[in-house]
Amino acid sequence: MYRLKVATGTDLAASTCSNVSIVLVGVHGESEIHKLPHQWNNFISGAVTEFNIAVNKDLGELLMVKLSMERYLNFPLDPWYCNYVTVTCPKDQLYKFPLYQWIFKSVEIPEGKGVVITKNIHPALQQQRKLELEMNRETHKWKVYAEGAPHCIDVTNDDPQNLPPNDQYSFQKLAHFGSTSYSTGLEVKLNGYALNADSWHILEDIKLVSSLRRSQYSDIVSKIWKEDSFFGSQYLNGLNPTMIKKCVQVPGNFPVTDHMVAQSLGACTNLQKELQNGHIFLADYEVLQGVPTNTINEKPQYIAAPMCLLWKNPQDQLVPIAIQLSQTPGTNVPIFLPSDSEYDWVLAKIWVRSADVQAHEADTHLLHTHLLAEVFSIASIRHLPMGHPVYKLIIPHFRYTLQINALARTRLIGPGGVFDQASVTGKGGIPVIIKKAMAELTYSRLCLPDDIKGRGMEHIPNYLYRDDGMKIWAAMESFVSNIINYYYTSDEMVKEDPELQAWVAEIFKEGFLQNKSSEVPSSLGTRDSLIKYLTMVIFRCSAQHAAVNSGQFDFYSWMPNGPMTMKSPPPSTKGVTTMETILQALPDVNSTAAAISSVWLLSNEPMDRRHLGEYPDERFTEKTPQIFIKKFQQQLSEISKCIQERNKTMRLPYPYLDPNQIENSVSI
Ligand code: FE2
């Protein structure tokens, strides 16, 4: 007698009323097909149901179970979300078969221990993996989203409802996302903002929209947004913390003189000395050069590709000391300075913030997290079968990514979406930025320790993105290293794993478009290189996305700190800016409202969350990997405690890389 437990998922829609049958497959052969008794509550949401089946031969060590479904009476065949099956053999040996997927007709679930393909693999398992991947390659095909951009999932009309079911939001998540989206949109409409295509008349009135929703941060930001030290701090601990780099020589197309910055630097030093001391930093928005611009409310919109020089002052603050709103210097391209009139300097900083929003959303956020996460996800499903240890390790980090990206392609950056309504890069600018950013995308920029070093940002104080991020990177790397060294006992095993190599090669091809100068690997020869690669994948899909996503409402809801468009060209002379010209340059009321309601939606992960390191689906069934998971969770919990203690002492805390706040995957 074999004793079975069959577990149904907990999502409201997980249950089935169909008939379920099972076949057990062992090294000595397989059982006959057993129809599991049909009772109303056997496969309802959250059920773990026990069955006994008699098998009149010794199957030996169990390799897999085959589940199949048939219609019950005249009911339609309804899909079933099966978590797992366990089987206890007559000799009391327990086998676990984790699935955590929807079943529509049939599925073969291999026994739970992670298996890398070697010559010794049982032919039945080899065949199961081959069939699984063949089917996955049918459901997950690539398509070109935009020329020069990473490829994406091929679904009809990019409609999330056409996605493979395992990639769709759960019922709870979809309902919560829908209600937040609907209620925020409705408030904007009811309050009349959506139909008002005028400029703002009084700056403070912008609070009418941002106060539809409140966050502790947005209130503080609205008070301190004009402070130079806050402006500079956003390069370290804001939404776009990878834009800045150390400057050892001011670029030739940014002719800042010693005289210009003398007042900012004070009498004790000069520009040359500060460059040598490593205290000068540059934010260069060249990626925005030549990007086509939108027309909103029948008014042309403007974008700039500024350059901003910053100084780490003796108080350890990072402050802007010179701003040029173009890549090409000239007589009508002033270099703005803190010593200029208040409004000249404020407007110059608003222009830089406006450029930063575009670079952040298209490059840092969309390309560097969402689009790459989608590539990692599709390639994993196409090349790593569920029995592969790397699949078990990384699949939780792709949860709901295809759904949010399909939503983004239709409702955010698609025709008529929020970017078309509210952003200068709507109606065609985004793909241009992505294509330009792809040319600059390198493997070292994707790996946090290398990126920090590459930008010369190892020593600047108060860089919390770096400090918190490096702790998380180290914990992740140690976890990944434990898992990889457990399953791969030599570098040869990595080299000779055909599934793993096909996976890496396809990511290089479909994600990085075979750009060799990116130095992204197209194959992996050692365990160390695999550990680094997987750490990069997991970090990007979790911590990196949290760092550049979760604070969107905090930083952008006070619109002057992050205008998504500008309605006047960049100023070409000094001394003419007034509060009135600033208000005319800022986005109209309706585009402000559209932007603020969307950042509210995107800053709030809908229900059904899983935080970094939470693996409630038991895909690793062996004891040792489970111990590694616990250890990882303990490390994350210690990091979280430290961050929370530190944040208590800060005027503007940095919670975005607190592991308790980080989602396991890109899902919003
Ligand atoms: Fe996001």
Side-chain angles (χ1 to χ4, degrees), residues 39 52 76 81 93 138 152 167 179 186 238 253 340 384 391 395 419 461 468 474 527 577 586 619-620 663:
Q39 213 175 332
N52 290 330
Y81 193 94
Q93 174 91 31
E138 284 303 309
C152 68
D167 297 299
S179 75
L186 190 65
N253 60 339
D340 293 338
L384 300 175
Y391 172 94
I395 208 72
F419 270 70
D468 297 354
R527 283 174 293 179
T577 300
L586 288 171
R619 294 175 194 278
F620 284 110
E663 196 70 14

Side-chain angles (χ1 to χ4, degrees), residues 602-653:
L602 298 177
S603 304
N604 288 282
E605 182 74 35
M607 283 166 72
D608 187 12
R609 301 187 60 175
R610 286 189 185 166
H611 293 122
L612 181 58
E614 276 180 7
Y615 302 110
D617 299 347
E618 195 187 87
R619 294 175 194 278
F620 284 110
T621 57
E622 297 143 283
K623 274 230 163 59
T624 308
Q626 287 177 354
I627 292 168
F628 296 151
I629 288 175
K630 284 234 159 59
K631 203 173 152 200
F632 181 40
Q633 290 167 338
Q634 276 162 4
Q635 282 178 311
L636 292 173
S637 157
E638 280 159 27
I639 294 170
S640 176
K641 259 189 231 151
C642 284
I643 292 176
Q644 286 176 18
E645 279 305 310
R646 178 203 62 207
N647 283 349
K648 281 181 193 163
T649 63
M650 298 174 69
R651 173 174 73 155
L652 205 59

Side-chain angles (χ1 to χ4, degrees), residues 228-233 235-237 244-248 261 264-266 268-283 308-322 338 455-463 466:
D228 284 357
S229 59
F230 174 65
F231 176 93
S233 76
Y235 283 109
L236 304 177
N237 307 318
I244 192 166
K245 58 185 178 193
K246 187 160 82 179
C247 180
V248 286
V261 294
S264 291
L265 301 182
C268 303
T269 188
N270 60 45
L271 183 58
Q272 203 48 44
K273 264 192 205 163
E274 291 305 288
L275 284 164
Q276 278 164 6
N277 290 340
H279 293 161
I280 301 293
F281 297 85
L282 178 71
C308 178
L309 209 61
L310 299 111
W311 177 49
K312 184 205 79 73
N313 68 19
Q315 293 79 45
D316 282 345
Q317 294 168 323
L318 186 66
V319 290
I321 53 171
R455 290 185 292 113
M457 297 299 288
E458 303 102 305
H459 305 301
I460 188 165
N462 306 318
Y463 193 11
R466 172 201 60 202

Side-chain angles (χ1 to χ4, degrees), residues 365 370 545 549 668:
H365 183 194
H370 281 256
H545 179 253
N549 181 83
I668 187 66

